[in-house]
Every structure is written in structure tokens, then in C-alpha cells.
Amino acid sequence: KLAVVVTALLRFDYPEHWPDFFKNLLGTLEVSQGQPGFSLGRVDFFLRMLDAIDNDIIGFDEKRSRGEVKHVNRIKDHMQKTTMPQVVVALLTIAK
């Protein structure tokens, strides 16, 4: 449920008011000193966040108004230009 709430905030605040959202999200995966690899809890949260973002923002929804489509497209465009390579690297690292 936390991922759904945070994604709702993302929808309204990214990128204008929360430009570091994905940097912050990727930071949740950071390993504590002395700990090998990612913790399962952090990976779970990260993946749930990506799933919620896909469901609420990235995925197609025919019920969206023209204004909503324009807004989510702006979010997606900004994501592609600024953070997608880092997210992909994180996913590949998790998959190893």
C-alpha cells in the first residue's frame, strides 16, 4: 500500500517538485556498510514501487482524460531522459 501512496505523490510532484524521486528510489537499494548484496526487504520495496508506477503511470488506461494522458506522457518522457538507464542497471544487478 505504501508503494501506491508514494506513486500517487509521484504523479503530482514529479518532476517539478520532486526531481530526485528516482534517485531517492534507487537509494533505497543502497547496501549498508558491511552487508553483502541487497537486502530482500529493500528489493521487495523497490520492485513494488516499480510495479505501482507501471500500473498508475506507465500503463495504458483508456479512461484517462486528454489532460491526464498529456501529464503522464510528460512524466514518462522525463523518466526516459533522466533515470531509466540507472533503473535498468539496478534491475539487472538484482537479477544476478
Side-chain angles (χ1 to χ4, degrees), residues 26 29 38 43 46-47 50 84-96:
L26 288 163
L29 287 173
F38 297 126
V43 169
F46 181 75
L47 296 176
L50 293 181
M84 277 295 94
Q86 295 92 343
V87 171
V88 171
V89 167
L91 289 169
L92 291 172
T93 302
I94 289 167
K96 285 184 181 179

Side-chain angles (χ1 to χ4, degrees), residues 20-76:
D20 293 337
F21 173 81
F22 284 96
K23 182 179 177 183
N24 298 151
L25 179 61
L26 288 163
T28 65
L29 287 173
E30 289 181 7
V31 179
S32 301
Q33 283 191 321
Q35 298 293 324
F38 297 126
S39 78
L40 290 179
R42 291 172 185 249
V43 169
D44 181 61
F45 177 74
F46 181 75
L47 296 176
R48 286 178 191 269
M49 281 299 308
L50 293 181
D51 185 53
I53 291 166
D54 179 56
N55 289 333
D56 190 47
I57 296 170
I58 296 171
F60 177 75
D61 183 355
E62 68 274 353
K63 297 174 189 167
R64 288 187 179 144
S65 70
R66 191 173 280 177
E68 288 175 311
V69 169
K70 197 174 197 179
H71 179 70
V72 296
N73 283 341
R74 192 172 81 245
I75 291 171
K76 290 189 278 189

